[in-house]
Amino acid sequence: MTGGTIIVQPMHPVLPPSAMVARPDPRVRRTLRALHEAMVVLCLEDGYRSVTVDQLVERAGVTRATFYSHFRDKEHLLTAIADQVVVDVLDRFRQAADGADRLHVLFEDAERHPHRLRVVLRGEGDGVALRLFTERVADVIAELDQANLAAGAMPLAVDPQLAIRAMAGQIVEVLRWWIDTDVPGVQR
């Protein structure tokens, strides 16, 4: 089982050969992308609980055997979608120059992929994907706080874990509001 996250990391000459990741086969990427898209569409149409593996494979144009070669079940697929959101958004979020740029990165991705983000932020699958996404947002905030502390900045609060959770909750809630609200001038 691959875990179904579509991570494509470019080969970088600065990295040692042991750190380089081979690009997955294009057929595998297409299959995973089709299964991700099928899950998102079906969740938005009928809700996660109504989605079946048969519907997923039919919508994605793959066989059950192909599905099960990548995922244990539909929850594993939903978790892979949340992982992909994290990979796509939070890696760029980490690299943004400041707080305003980081929020801009989140909204850019929300604009590019509103449907998959909506599935994650709605808490489909008993909130598994949402909890994972929120945890990863908190991890990034903690990393940024540690880097700021190392650079001589003041700590976030007396209890850094409380501040990190509060910031992660705010970011997730603002994204949820934005993705579910008709904002003038924004096409979704």
Side-chain angles (χ1 to χ4, degrees), residues 52-68:
T52 66
V53 172
D54 287 335
Q55 290 173 315
L56 286 166
V57 299
E58 182 180 328
R59 184 68 155 256
V62 300
T63 65
R64 287 178 66 83
T66 298
F67 176 86
Y68 286 114

Side-chain angles (χ1 to χ4, degrees), residues 135-146:
E135 286 296 318
R136 299 287 167 73
V137 169
D139 291 344
V140 170
I141 292 168
E143 287 174 22
L144 294 171
D145 184 46
Q146 288 301 313

